[in-house]
């Protein structure tokens, strides 16, 4: 056994070597919250146009081995394409969890494990702890990779992080669940790097959800190809021309030995969103809701005609600077729209991004009054950013409020009850009431399940008769 490990070898050693006994209670509890939330936003996403297009496209693929497409009991696909379509559903509304450094960690990993748990032979059984271990391996690999460059700590400018680290997290989770050898885990990472990467230019379009779907699909494909003996560069994570191609000032480090392993999820929790839009807009909504209390009393309406100017003091994040969004995807990536919708309606919800809501005359009037300022101390990091909003009336009165942390951020986490309520709201009309409660119970007791296929069976339905395939 060599005494000097490459970075890539050390990752393969951790993926292969981590056992259920390494999981801590804290990590188990946090990852179960991530799984429940991801399932909820995924099932909600099955009602979107982009999910419909992705699932229709994937019907051209068939296999003797198949997995369920969420929310579509009549549609089964090969595991790679069930993984792809379910991954698209998860990110179709930008409603999935967000971590620091910035990425959406769960969406590229959970669909892989759900598809494999259903498609693999029933013997040997995979327990709930097996699923939790593979899930956390996939999350851990993403977090470790993002700590190799300061660029990854900031809100992204070049590559969409889930398309980069998510692809390797998917490959790691699949490799763990499939029981690959250390050598084949190493090959799976090398193959996954050649599948990784999608540009930020496609943010705020229907293509962005494909980044998560592709990360999930390409990761599971990398594991399958490694099983078949395909080889790649055995030092792919060590090299600037390897994984380092995605990040400036790339400085990889060998992972610690397994006997001193600590989980990043133990140290850094995720954020859960209360409405489906870019995480940065949640500070804006929080500050705007506070300002609105000065402007609206009792049941009065917002005095739109008397508002002279709205100033948002936020980080300089160009892809979320959209003064007049035209589509739901642009509105989800618009500081300006979320501020105006909150001022006008008192909050932002799933229907807030319907096209007729975006194009209301009062919304467009307010959008024309918004100005952005970028204070030097307001850096583009989900760990430190803030939003300050000032609304000036035509009589010269100005009201200012600031949000440093919103409810749902890792510094102010959603309660267990509110996370479950978010899940219920997201799957209502897609899943029967009885199934909803059984899924919640199944995730809550996941570490006690002897066979995790109990959960995948629940995800097949039954579904309410009225739910099939209307896009929202």
């Amino acid at each position: 056994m060599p005494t000097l490990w490459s970075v890539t070898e050390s990752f393969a050693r951790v993926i292969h070597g981590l056992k259920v006994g390494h999981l801590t209670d804290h990590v188990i509890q946090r990852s179960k919250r991530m799984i429940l939330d991801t399932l909820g936003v995924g099932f909600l996403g099955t009602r979107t146009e982009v999910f419909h297009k992705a699932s229709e496209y994937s019907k051209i693929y068939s296999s003797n081995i198949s997995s369920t497409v969420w929310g579509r009991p009549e549609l089964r696909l090969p595991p790679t394409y069930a993984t792809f379509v379910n991954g698209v559903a998860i990110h179709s509304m930008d409603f999935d969890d967000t971590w620091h450094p910035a990425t959406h960690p769960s969406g590229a990993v959970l669909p892989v494990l759900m598809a494999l748990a259903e498609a693999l032979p029933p013997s040997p059984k995979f327990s709930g702890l097996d699923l939790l271990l593979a899930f956390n391996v996939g999350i851990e690999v993403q977090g470790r990779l993002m700590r190799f460059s300061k660029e990854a700590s900031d809100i992204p400018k070049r590559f969409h992080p889930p398309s980069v680290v998510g692809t390797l997290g998917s490959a790691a989770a699949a490799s763990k669940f499939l029981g690959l050898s250390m050598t084949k885990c190493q090959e799976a990472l090398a193959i996954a790097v050649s599948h990784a990467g999608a540009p930020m230019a496609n943010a705020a379009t229907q293509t962005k959800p494909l980044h998560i779907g592709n990360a999930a699909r390409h990761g599971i494909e990398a594991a399958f190809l490694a099983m078949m003996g395909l080889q790649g560069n055995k030092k792919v994570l060590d090299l600037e021309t390897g994984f380092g191609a995605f990040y400036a000032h790339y400085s990889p480090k060998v992972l610690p030995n397994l006997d001193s392993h600590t989980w990043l999820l133990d140290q850094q929790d995720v954020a859960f969103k209360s409405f489906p839009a870019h995480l940065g807009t949640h500070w804006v909504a929080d500050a705007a809701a506070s300002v609105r209390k000065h402007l609206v009393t009792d049941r009065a309406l917002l005095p739109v005609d008397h508002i002279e100017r709205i100033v948002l003091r936020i980080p300089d994040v160009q892809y979320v600077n959209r003064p007049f969004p035209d589509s739901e995807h642009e509105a989800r990536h618009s500081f300006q729209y979320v501020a105006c919708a909150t001022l006008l309606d008192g909050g932002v919800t799933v229907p807030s991004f319907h096209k007729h809501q975006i194009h209301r005359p009062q919304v467009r009037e307010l959008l024309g009054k918004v100005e952005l300022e970028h204070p030097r101390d307001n850096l583009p990091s989900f760990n430190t950013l803030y939003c300050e909003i000032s609304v000036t009336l035509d009589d010269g009165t100005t009201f200012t409020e600031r949000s440093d942390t919103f409810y749902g951020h890792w510094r102010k986490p959603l309660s267990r009850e509110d996370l479950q309520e978010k899940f219920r709201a997201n799957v209502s009309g897609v899943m029967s009431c009885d199934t909803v409660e059984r899924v919640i119970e199944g995730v809550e007791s996941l570490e006690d399940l002897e066979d995790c296929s109990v959960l995948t069976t629940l995800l097949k339905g039954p579904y309410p008769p009225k739910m099939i395939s209307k896009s929202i």
Side-chain angles (χ1 to χ4, degrees):
M1 185 71 68
T3 54
L4 294 177
W5 298 85
S6 70
V7 173
T8 314
E9 284 174 322
S10 74
F11 269 78
R13 178 184 56 187
V14 165
I15 294 166
H16 175 70
L18 281 170
K19 307 296 183 189
V20 163
H22 287 98
L23 292 171
T24 66
D25 289 342
H26 208 205
V27 163
I28 287 172
Q29 295 309 315
R30 283 184 169 178
S31 55
K32 288 193 301 184
R33 285 164 59 86
M34 294 162 72
I35 288 169
L36 185 68
D37 187 67
T38 303
L39 290 173
V41 300
F43 271 81
L44 178 65
T46 64
R47 303 166 70 184
T48 61
E49 185 180 356
V50 63
F51 169 83
H52 177 71
K53 290 177 178 176
S55 58
E56 286 297 306
Y57 156 73
S58 296
K59 285 180 180 178
I60 66 175
Y61 298 97
S62 63
S63 169
N64 293 331
I65 303 171
S66 64
S67 302
T68 300
V69 173
W70 297 345
R72 296 290 182 273
E74 79 289 354
L75 178 58
R76 296 182 62 82
L77 294 171
T80 49
Y81 281 91
T83 292
F84 167 68
V85 173
N86 292 335
V88 169
I90 288 167
H91 198 55
S92 62
M93 293 186 177
D94 214 318
F95 210 179
D96 41 334
D97 56 17
T98 306
W99 210 15
H100 176 75
T103 195
H104 304 285
S106 299
V109 173
L110 188 61
V112 171
L113 300 176
M114 294 289 99
L116 287 175
E118 184 180 359
L120 291 175
S123 181
K125 292 179 180 178
F126 292 90
S127 70
L129 278 171
D130 292 329
L131 191 147
L132 282 165
L133 177 61
F135 179 82
N136 278 289
V137 165
I139 302 300
E140 181 76 5
V141 163
Q142 295 178 68
R144 294 286 177 178
L145 289 169
M146 287 189 295
R147 280 159 175 77
F148 291 164
S149 170
K150 184 181 180 302
E151 180 186 352
S153 296
D154 296 334
I155 297 172
K157 293 181 179 179
R158 298 189 301 139
F159 293 100
H160 191 208
S163 73
V164 180
V165 296
T167 307
L168 277 78
S170 166
S175 297
K176 186 65 189 174
F177 205 68
L178 292 165
L180 268 59
S181 68
M182 192 180 112
T183 299
K184 291 196 181 299
C185 288
Q186 190 173 352
E187 301 293 5
L189 292 174
I191 297 163
V193 170
S194 282
H195 280 305
M200 288 305 303
N202 271 323
T205 73
Q206 286 188 334
T207 295
K208 184 170 178 255
L210 271 61
H211 297 177
I212 297 276
N214 280 329
R217 173 171 70 93
H218 288 149
I220 195 173
E221 285 178 342
F224 286 158
L225 289 167
M227 286 178 72
M228 296 179 68
L230 193 71
Q231 297 178 348
N233 191 310
K234 291 177 172 51
K235 292 191 175 182
V236 74
L237 303 184
D238 299 70
L239 304 172
E240 286 191 5
T241 55
F243 190 76
F246 295 110
Y247 292 106
H249 310 296
Y250 182 65
S251 182
K253 294 177 176 59
V254 172
L255 297 186
N257 290 325
L258 286 169
D259 55 9
S260 58
H261 178 79
T262 57
W263 298 93
L264 293 177
L265 189 59
D266 249 334
Q267 306 161 29
Q268 174 66 62
D269 202 359
V270 300
F272 295 112
K273 299 177 179 180
S274 57
F275 59 87
H278 185 273
L279 192 72
T281 66
H282 287 63
W283 280 270
V284 173
D286 193 48
S290 297
V291 165
R292 190 178 190 272
K293 293 175 183 176
H294 299 290
L295 302 170
V296 178
T297 55
D298 299 325
R299 296 193 177 185
L301 298 174
L302 183 77
V304 175
D305 294 343
H306 295 287
I307 292 177
E308 191 79 25
R309 185 171 179 238
I310 302 168
V311 178
L312 302 181
R313 299 180 185 93
I314 51 174
D316 184 7
V317 182
Q318 286 303 307
Y319 75 96
V320 199
N321 175 6
R322 299 182 187 273
F324 292 96
D326 185 55
S327 69
E328 61 163 304
H329 297 282
E330 290 182 358
R332 297 184 201 283
H333 294 77
S334 170
F335 288 128
Q336 296 92 329
Y337 176 73
V338 168
C340 293
T342 304
L343 288 172
L344 193 59
D345 303 327
V348 182
T349 62
V350 170
S352 299
F353 299 95
H354 292 180
K355 194 150 188 171
H356 68 272
Q357 294 287 330
I358 299 166
H359 288 278
R360 286 176 292 167
Q362 285 191 311
V363 169
R364 308 312 276 190
E365 182 181 347
L366 283 175
L367 285 169
K369 301 177 181 184
V370 178
E371 301 171 17
L372 302 188
E373 294 180 359
H374 305 302
R376 287 188 177 182
D377 68 336
N378 201 353
L379 301 176
S381 165
F382 290 139
N383 207 36
T384 60
L385 76 83
Y386 64 86
C387 172
E388 189 173 273
I389 179 170
S390 296
V391 176
T392 302
L393 304 180
D394 53 10
D395 64 0
T397 305
T398 298
F399 299 102
T400 300
E401 292 287 349
R402 171 171 164 150
S403 173
D404 291 299
T405 306
F406 63 89
Y407 182 49
H409 190 270
W410 43 83
R411 288 192 296 270
K412 196 185 288 187
L414 286 186
S415 69
R416 175 174 173 267
E417 293 73 22
D418 286 344
L419 191 68
Q420 289 182 0
E421 280 307 304
K422 177 186 174 183
F423 177 80
R424 290 186 182 99
N426 282 342
V427 301
S428 65
V430 185
M431 207 179 267
S432 71
C433 293
D434 178 63
T435 304
V436 170
E437 298 309 316
R438 290 172 67 194
V439 170
I440 292 174
E441 182 183 337
V443 175
E444 282 278 300
S445 60
L446 192 53
E447 70 269 41
D448 298 321
L449 291 181
E450 292 184 5
D451 185 353
C452 68
S453 68
V454 170
L455 183 58
T456 59
T457 299
L458 285 173
L459 299 182
K460 297 178 187 178
Y463 302 123
K466 63 181 181 180
M467 55 81 33
I468 301 294
S469 183
K470 287 190 178 176
S471 294
I472 60 174

